[in-house]
Amino acid sequence: MLYELDDFVSDCRSILARDAGPAGREEVRTRLERLLGNPDFVRQYCGKDVPQGLRLLYEDPKLGFQILAHINDKARKSPPHDHGASWAIYGQATHYTDMIEWERVDDGRDPGQAELRPAKQYRLDAGHAGIYQDGKIHSIDYPDKARFIRVTGTNLDRIDRLRFDLATGKVHRMTAQQAT
Ligand SMILES: [Fe+2]
């Protein structure tokens, strides 16, 4: 039996209802890898015939988490950013994403200024999922046609998040679902 989107949704609901903390999210991450191991799912939701754009696959009315398909045509390199008071799981469907996780090395006293240092760098290949817990800062860099599924604890459009300018150290607030 192939693991389908519906199975993933029901697993997310039961896991996160029981444990919405880091351990529960880690379970969601492993289930997302299982979903990405279903070639029919990847073809249907992230295949070459799926039009470019951001598509909401599921939003839980009670728990608030979202499952989104990021169908990219063009390569993109994001600035470092967090996910505000949420968390995010990125599951690579096609091609790859180069991830950098950053840590702040300033004292955090100036809300408009930050100094970041790369803490971890790795390539997320198709079929793999990475998790970014509360407050984690990361940046993403992917080639043309790289597509991924993202699960977030809440709709990120509704919460404040931070974006960091590496050249100047400036901290910007972001609200739109940009920079993923
Ligand atoms: Fe992100």
Side-chain angles (χ1 to χ4, degrees):
M1 281 279 283
L2 284 173
Y3 190 70
E4 309 281 353
L5 178 61
D6 285 351
D7 301 316
F8 179 62
V9 166
S10 89
D11 278 351
C12 287
R13 290 174 67 176
S14 58
I15 292 166
L16 295 171
R18 168 170 46 81
D19 180 2
R25 302 163 196 167
E26 173 58 24
E27 283 186 60
V28 169
R29 188 191 70 77
T30 63
R31 298 304 197 287
L32 179 54
E33 289 193 339
R34 197 168 158 199
L35 180 63
L36 293 167
N38 175 350
D40 294 341
F41 168 80
V42 172
R43 201 176 308 117
Q44 185 180 346
Y45 292 96
C46 303
K48 57 179 171 34
D49 299 329
V50 180
Q52 187 267 336
L54 175 63
R55 188 163 154 221
L56 179 67
L57 301 185
Y58 179 77
E59 177 169 18
D60 192 84
K62 196 164 146 214
L63 301 171
F65 69 86
Q66 290 194 326
I67 302 170
L68 302 138
H70 289 258
I71 308 304
N72 309 301
D73 274 347
K74 292 273 161 249
R76 179 161 187 274
K77 192 172 178 174
S78 84
H81 61 275
D82 68 10
H83 307 97
S86 180
W87 46 268
I89 298 170
Y90 285 64
Q92 197 68 32
T94 67
H95 297 75
Y96 62 86
T97 297
D98 285 326
M99 292 281 179
I100 304 178
E101 295 181 24
W102 301 85
E103 60 187 9
R104 278 184 81 149
V105 292
D106 60 301
D107 60 15
R109 269 190 281 184
D110 182 346
Q113 203 71 22
E115 193 184 337
L116 300 183
R117 174 169 71 199
K120 218 168 145 187
Q121 303 194 34
Y122 50 94
R123 176 164 288 184
L124 205 60
D125 285 309
H128 292 279
I131 189 163
Y132 309 92
Q133 302 278 8
D134 320 67
K136 183 69 86 180
I137 300 164
H138 80 152
S139 57
I140 65 176
D141 183 355
Y142 56 76
D144 287 352
K145 309 267 184 216
R147 297 168 169 202
F148 55 86
I149 300 293
R150 192 170 61 141
V151 184
T152 56
T154 188
N155 180 346
L156 297 186
D157 277 342
R158 298 205 196 108
I159 61 174
D160 279 343
R161 305 165 59 196
L162 300 178
R163 171 170 66 79
F164 302 87
D165 185 324
L166 280 177
T168 62
K170 278 210 178 347
V171 179
H172 301 274
R173 295 208 170 268
M174 50 190 271
T175 49
Q177 204 140 27
Q178 52 180 312
T180 60

